[in-house]
Amino acid sequence: MRKISAVLFLAGALAASASAQSGRRGITPPPLPPAPVLSEPPIQPERASAAPAELRALPESVRTHQIKSLDKGSFSLSDFEGKVLVVNLWASWCGPCRREVPDYEKVRKEFAGRAVEFIALTAEDPTTSSNRVRQFVREVNFGFRMGWADRETATALMNGRTAIPQTLVIASDGRILNHWRGYSPGQGRDRLREAIEHALSETPPQTRSSQ
């Protein structure tokens, strides 16, 4: 009896084990979902700020604006209608400006008696920089017509670029023919001379003599 019970027990255990094995083989586990592809949004190239377009002509508001003279009184660029204008933007603390002035002074003397007006404007504050600016002018013997450019005038003439020195050569009809920034050793004098000659060539004959 014990043998029979043992045999039956063993048979039952084997059957249960086989059934379990059979069940595991018959169930196929679902495939794992594909791993998500991690991607960053494409990097957009940094958009460089567009440089301001070159100023082609003097705005009327700048042309007629009264500029305080370094010594006394005032003047406007429109006072020199019919002349070529050379406008130099500078500052007393500017080393390149100091080196540029002697070259420009030689050109100014070359065009004495011709229809060219040389104007130097500083954007410094006259209430705090007056003594320093006057000393600068005396030391470098700056013979241009001198004036204080207020913020609006300086901003308009510099056209969004604040580096100094800057030089503009303006035809007698108000067109800006040349505008450059910075000082070029050994080249500034020739560049200014050529720009003035070009501007004079576009000036009507009746206005070429000094007024």
Side-chain angles (χ1 to χ4, degrees):
M1 187 70 179
R2 286 181 183 174
K3 278 185 182 178
I4 295 173
S5 297
V7 171
L8 291 174
F9 175 78
L10 182 59
L14 291 173
S17 175
S19 175
Q21 293 288 340
S22 174
R24 282 200 296 269
R25 286 196 300 268
I27 300 173
T28 303
L32 293 175
V37 178
L38 300 178
S39 63
E40 296 180 357
I43 299 175
Q44 297 296 330
E46 186 176 344
R47 183 174 298 176
S49 55
E54 289 294 338
L55 199 63
R56 298 299 181 187
L58 282 178
E60 187 66 14
S61 58
V62 174
R63 198 180 71 85
T64 59
H65 183 70
Q66 288 296 310
I67 298 170
K68 183 179 178 182
S69 176
L70 193 63
D71 295 322
K72 59 181 180 180
S74 63
F75 61 91
S76 71
L77 300 182
S78 62
D79 292 341
F80 312 106
E81 187 172 354
K83 287 187 175 183
V84 170
L85 297 182
V86 175
V87 179
N88 182 238
L89 297 156
W90 60 280
S92 61
W93 45 260
C94 167
C97 300
R98 185 179 294 271
R99 294 191 293 272
E100 182 179 66
V101 170
D103 286 345
Y104 278 15
E105 271 297 296
K106 291 175 182 177
V107 176
R108 182 185 67 81
K109 292 174 182 178
E110 291 176 17
F111 286 91
R114 301 181 68 180
V116 185
E117 189 70 26
F118 294 82
I119 299 171
L121 302 177
T122 176
E124 295 170 89
D125 187 345
T127 61
T128 59
S129 305
S130 180
N131 291 337
R132 184 173 66 244
V133 168
R134 294 176 194 280
Q135 181 180 355
F136 173 93
V137 172
R138 288 194 300 269
E139 288 177 355
V140 299
N141 193 28
F142 210 170
F144 283 35
R145 184 183 296 273
M146 313 296 293
W148 301 95
D150 55 46
R151 182 182 298 274
E152 291 75 16
T153 301
T155 299
L157 290 173
M158 291 181 176
N159 194 32
R161 299 176 175 90
T162 56
I164 56 172
Q166 293 193 32
T167 303
L168 297 90
V169 177
I170 305 166
S172 60
D173 59 3
R175 287 178 298 121
I176 297 175
L177 301 180
N178 298 89
H179 184 184
W180 61 83
R181 302 160 189 86
Y183 166 63
S184 300
Q187 301 177 20
R189 189 191 315 175
D190 290 340
R191 177 165 59 179
L192 181 58
R193 183 188 298 111
E194 291 170 6
I196 294 172
E197 290 288 6
H198 173 65
L200 285 171
S201 71
E202 298 196 2
T203 301
Q206 63 270 22
T207 62
R208 287 184 187 172
S209 60
S210 178
Q211 296 181 355

